[in-house]
Amino acid sequence: MNLTNLNKCPLCGSENIKVYRKGTIDPGKINSDNFRITDSSYGSLWNFSRCRKCTYVFSNPLIDEKSLIEFYSELEDNEYSDEWEGRAKNFLTIFRELEKISKPGNSLLDIGAASGIFVNLAKERGYDAEGIEPSGYLADEAEKKFNIKLFRGTIENFKTDKKYSLLTLLDIIEHLRDASSFMEKIVPFIDKKGILVIVTPDINSIPARIFGKKWWHYRIAHLNFFNLRSIEFLLKKSGFEIIKKRRYAWNFSFYYILSRIFPSLKEKKGLQKILKRLNLKLQLFDSWEIYARKN
């Protein structure tokens, strides 16, 4: 793994940056397991810098692209699909919003599709849906569970002449090495007046401020963080206008939540069955759900 020290903001280019948080991880000990969606090593963070101009928060030094792609392509996450019903409830709230501004039959591309839960729901609701996922393990899960064939790779090697009416980035941009260049790569895939949906943690949220380094969104897989100001900057720079924003909420089983606190629950199969039947909706007011239209 190679790390690059940055002397300017990768979002706006300003050299007016400062140390935001000191890291708690040893980069030499990182492996693909640390990038699992269900990783519960909360409070694990890189050295972060903050731009005084656009307020973007980014890891500095920055991991190289080759290593990052390898980690994601090699990761296995056997817990993710176990919570598919709760995750589906999360995504249904997005569809309810989308259906106010789009219609079934529209083409949809989900980037970072994991095991295909969102793509499957989109297909069930009449969308012409596709997904991109770098993890071979999760792409296999999508095929086994939902009979969906995802594109295995990244946006860099995704080739199509198709233009999509809808493009979704659900808990994705905080994982990116360079969000600005990534946005440049996805723009050609979005139709004129197409809709972009983003869900991402809010570094300025009250929970982020209260919990500090213990905030649950501080994980090795999260390389950057936005607040409303910086995400508006990113979208405007990329040719998008925000048409709606709101706080995102999660649905999880009691088992999933408690197993984050008490990992020993993973060994108690009988109790698992009971706890997985109990669902809880969490509105923590620490993530943005944003709908933006291509100008």
Side-chain angles (χ1 to χ4, degrees):
M1 181 197 304
N2 295 314
L3 297 173
T4 302
N5 288 299
L6 304 177
N7 56 17
K8 63 181 181 180
C9 173
L11 181 57
C12 73
S14 172
E15 295 181 1
N16 192 4
I17 62 176
K18 65 176 183 178
V19 173
Y20 183 75
R21 289 204 183 277
K22 292 288 187 181
T24 61
I25 63 172
D26 178 356
K29 295 181 179 179
I30 291 173
N31 58 52
S32 60
D33 287 344
N34 300 122
F35 290 81
R36 288 182 292 119
I37 304 167
T38 56
D39 175 67
S40 57
S41 300
Y42 307 131
S44 299
L45 64 156
W46 300 84
N47 288 319
F48 283 106
S49 294
R50 182 178 182 271
C51 177
R52 286 189 170 101
K53 182 180 178 182
C54 71
T55 68
Y56 181 54
V57 174
F58 53 96
S59 56
N60 191 11
L62 184 62
I63 186 175
D64 66 283
E65 186 76 12
K66 182 174 180 290
S67 296
L68 188 61
I69 290 173
E70 286 178 355
F71 286 138
Y72 278 110
S73 61
E74 294 170 2
L75 79 79
E76 298 183 4
D77 196 339
N78 57 10
E79 291 184 69
Y80 180 78
S81 293
D82 288 347
E83 287 289 314
W84 78 270
E85 290 175 314
R87 297 182 191 279
K89 289 180 181 178
N90 300 338
F91 296 150
L92 285 173
T93 64
I94 292 174
F95 282 112
R96 283 193 282 271
E97 288 302 314
L98 275 179
E99 286 162 4
K100 295 175 185 177
I101 53 178
S102 67
K103 58 184 179 181
N106 280 353
S107 56
L108 182 153
L109 179 64
D110 184 33
I111 300 180
S115 61
I117 299 170
F118 185 84
V119 174
N120 181 61
L121 284 172
K123 285 179 174 291
E124 288 181 346
R125 297 175 85 86
Y127 289 92
D128 175 18
E130 301 173 47
I132 299 175
E133 173 53 47
S135 165
Y137 177 89
L138 290 172
D140 285 342
E141 285 278 289
E143 195 161 355
K144 291 174 187 174
K145 196 167 190 68
F146 303 116
N147 196 29
I148 290 172
K149 289 191 176 182
L150 303 174
F151 176 80
R152 303 181 184 214
T154 63
I155 195 69
E156 286 80 5
N157 46 36
F158 180 69
K159 307 295 181 185
T160 183
D161 294 326
K162 191 172 182 179
K163 298 282 188 180
Y164 296 88
S165 302
L166 304 165
L167 195 148
T168 51
L169 303 172
L170 310 180
D171 289 314
I172 295 301
I173 61 172
E174 64 273 18
H175 295 254
L176 301 175
R177 185 177 182 275
D178 187 339
S180 185
S181 66
F182 174 84
M183 290 295 290
E184 291 176 7
K185 291 167 186 170
I186 69 171
V187 166
F189 296 106
I190 304 178
D191 202 359
K192 184 179 180 181
K193 301 297 182 182
I195 301 297
L196 176 67
V197 184
I198 292 177
V199 172
T200 194
D202 177 11
I203 193 71
N204 269 18
S205 64
I206 291 174
R209 296 179 182 184
I210 291 174
F211 289 93
K213 287 188 175 183
K214 299 292 185 181
W215 187 38
W216 40 87
H217 286 296
Y218 281 129
R219 299 160 55 190
I220 291 173
H222 291 177
L223 303 178
N224 62 76
F225 291 96
F226 290 84
N227 58 27
L228 188 56
R229 178 179 167 186
S230 55
I231 202 165
E232 284 178 337
F233 182 94
L234 172 68
L235 289 168
K236 185 175 180 180
K237 176 183 176 183
S238 306
F240 291 87
E241 177 187 7
I242 294 177
I243 56 176
K244 181 161 187 176
K245 59 183 181 290
R246 66 179 186 178
R247 294 296 185 177
Y248 189 62
W250 284 266
N251 285 275
F252 290 119
S253 70
F254 272 80
Y255 165 73
Y256 184 86
I257 295 167
L258 292 175
S259 66
R260 306 298 95 187
I261 306 168
F262 307 108
S264 60
L265 275 176
K266 296 176 183 179
E267 309 301 322
K268 299 178 180 179
K269 303 298 182 183
L271 187 55
Q272 277 186 37
K273 291 180 181 179
I274 298 171
L275 293 175
K276 283 182 177 179
R277 294 193 192 105
L278 303 174
N279 187 267
L280 179 67
K281 183 174 183 177
L282 289 175
Q283 176 52 275
L284 302 173
F285 299 96
D286 70 340
S287 286
W288 284 111
E289 178 184 332
I290 290 177
Y291 300 80
R293 178 173 280 117
K294 185 178 180 183
N295 290 327

